[in-house]
């Protein structure tokens, strides 16, 4: 069991890291879009990123250089090694726990058991990985033309500066919305991928191949963005702007100042990011699993 867990953990971490490297420019654009506020945009601020996902990417590349699109890649890889490895490696054992409790349906595990297992593993994984997520968001937000500037020289400098200036507990800033966001998105991604893959395999002409994995991964990404965008926006704003007092304060101020559409700000960038991330991650994971398990 231990060797099996380790193999799943490392294959999951590798797949997550590969997907992160491929899609982090989209994530950087998404974070910048989510941090935009009406007041800043009205005065020409907000990082100058007012042209949607493509305009944001082009603006960052023009104003800060192409390399800036990969800001946060080091803590991003830290995050995926920890969070990506744990959430998937723990999923099957936790799901098996619910199966032992009799939560099954004809043809396999119930969707409810899959959702519960993914919720639980998402919470456990992000509690451990929150510091890496915080540093990643701050590095992505710390551009030449953004309103909040911290001037970190890199990931390790960011960790050290946060601990020195704000205390070690600050590494868990935004943990509340991050737990909500990652529990919801993890439950949506893993449970929907599991369910969609199972559903596709029951249809005539479908086999356990790359095309099935691609469709299931794309579907998982779409559901994750639709359900998780509001908490994702709150998480990004809390981690990128220390003026918010709490999750509720951030939610209330965002709703009051920017309106309900703000909770789906960067939706296209988020879907491009999470949709492509899921496709790459699950395709890679399935291939790596077959080679080492």
């Amino acid at each position: 069991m231990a060797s099996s867990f380790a193999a799943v953990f490392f294959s999951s971490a590798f797949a997550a890291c590969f997907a992160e490297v491929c899609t982090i420019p989209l994530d950087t654009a998404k974070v910048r879009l989510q941090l935009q506020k009406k007041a800043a945009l009205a005065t020409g601020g907000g990082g100058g990123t007012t042209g949607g996902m493509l305009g944001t990417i082009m603006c960052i590349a023009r104003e800060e250089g192409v390399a800036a699109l990969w800001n946060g890649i080091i803590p991003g890889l830290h995050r995926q090694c920890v969070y990506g490895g744990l959430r998937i490696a723990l999923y099957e054992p936790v799901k098996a726990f619910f199966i032992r409790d009799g939560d099954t349906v004809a043809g396999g595990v119930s969707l409810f058991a899959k959702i519960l297992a993914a919720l639980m593993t998402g919470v456990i994984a992000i509690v451990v990985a929150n510091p890496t997520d915080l540093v990643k968001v701050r590095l992505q937000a710390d551009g030449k033309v953004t309103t909040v500037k911290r001037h970190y020289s890199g990931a390790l400098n960011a960790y050290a500066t946060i601990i020195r200036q704000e205390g070690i507990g600050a590494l868990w800033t935004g943990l509340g919305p991050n737990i909500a966001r990652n529990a919801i998105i993890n439950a949506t991604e893993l449970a929907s991928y599991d369910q969609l893959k199972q559903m596709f395999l029951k249809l005539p002409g479908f086999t356990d191949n790359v095309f099935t994995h691609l469709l299931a991964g794309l579907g998982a990404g779409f559901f994750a963005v639709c359900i998780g965008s509001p908490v994702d926006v709150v998480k990004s704003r809390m981690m990128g702007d220390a003026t918010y007092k709490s999750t509720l304060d951030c939610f209330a101020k965002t709703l009051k100042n920017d309106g309900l559409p703000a909770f789906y700000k960067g939706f296209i960038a988020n879907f491009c990011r999470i949709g492509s991330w899921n496709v790459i991650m699950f395709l890679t994971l399935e291939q790596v699993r077959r080679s080492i398990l």
Side-chain angles (χ1 to χ4, degrees):
M1 182 66 182
S3 60
S4 176
F5 176 85
V8 174
F9 177 88
F10 286 116
S11 62
S12 302
F14 175 82
C17 286
F18 181 68
E20 188 78 5
V21 171
C22 293
T23 63
I24 198 168
L26 296 172
D27 192 49
T28 300
K30 179 209 73 173
V31 169
R32 296 288 182 91
L33 285 167
Q34 289 177 336
L35 290 175
Q36 284 179 357
K37 302 176 185 178
K38 280 186 176 179
L41 293 177
T43 59
T49 54
T50 59
M53 180 187 67
L54 183 59
T56 300
I57 291 174
M58 292 178 66
C59 179
I60 294 170
R62 182 176 63 252
E63 299 289 339
E64 305 170 39
V66 175
L69 291 167
W70 274 265
N71 280 352
I73 185 60
I74 300 302
L77 294 177
H78 294 167
R79 179 187 188 274
Q80 294 305 337
C81 282
V82 178
Y83 177 74
L86 281 176
R87 75 183 183 115
I88 297 174
L90 289 171
Y91 177 65
E92 290 297 334
V94 173
K95 189 170 71 172
F97 171 80
F98 290 112
I99 294 174
R100 287 203 302 272
D101 281 357
D103 193 358
T104 58
V105 293
V109 186
S110 72
L111 178 60
F112 180 69
K114 294 173 183 176
I115 292 172
L116 278 181
L119 279 170
M120 189 176 297
T121 60
V123 170
I124 294 169
I126 201 55
V127 168
V128 177
N130 196 81
T132 63
D133 216 3
L134 174 73
V135 170
K136 176 188 170 187
V137 168
R138 289 200 176 180
L139 285 172
Q140 288 176 316
D142 195 24
K144 290 181 180 178
V145 293
T146 48
T147 55
V148 179
K149 298 180 178 66
R150 296 184 174 89
H151 303 296
Y152 300 126
S153 61
L156 294 180
N157 174 256
Y159 288 118
T161 302
I162 292 168
I163 292 172
R164 185 176 65 253
Q165 295 181 353
E166 305 173 48
I168 194 167
L171 290 171
W172 279 267
T173 296
L175 181 61
N178 214 11
I179 286 177
R181 182 251 187 197
N182 285 280
I184 290 169
I185 290 181
N186 195 54
T188 309
E189 285 179 350
L190 294 188
S192 62
Y193 180 82
D194 202 353
Q195 192 74 12
L196 286 169
K197 181 181 172 183
Q198 181 181 325
M199 182 188 74
F200 287 140
L201 291 176
K202 291 179 180 179
L203 297 176
F206 280 88
T207 59
D208 192 6
N209 59 16
V210 169
F211 182 67
T212 300
H213 303 157
L214 188 151
L215 285 181
L218 197 59
F222 178 74
F223 287 126
V225 177
C226 289
I227 295 172
S229 276
V231 286
D232 192 39
V233 169
V234 172
K235 181 215 76 167
S236 290
R237 290 197 172 193
M238 283 193 71
M239 288 184 167
D241 187 346
T243 60
Y244 297 113
K245 298 175 183 177
S246 65
T247 303
L248 185 59
D249 178 58
C250 181
F251 182 89
K253 286 181 177 176
T254 300
L255 183 62
K256 178 182 177 181
N257 298 329
D258 302 322
L260 192 61
F263 293 106
Y264 284 89
K265 201 166 187 66
F267 181 86
I268 300 300
N270 207 8
F271 173 65
C272 290
R273 151 71 171 174
I274 292 183
S276 58
W277 192 96
N278 273 274
V279 167
I280 294 169
M281 194 280 291
F282 282 117
L283 284 177
T284 306
L285 177 62
E286 295 280 7
Q287 298 307 310
V288 173
R289 273 180 170 174
R290 290 182 179 185
S291 65
I292 70 173
L293 298 180

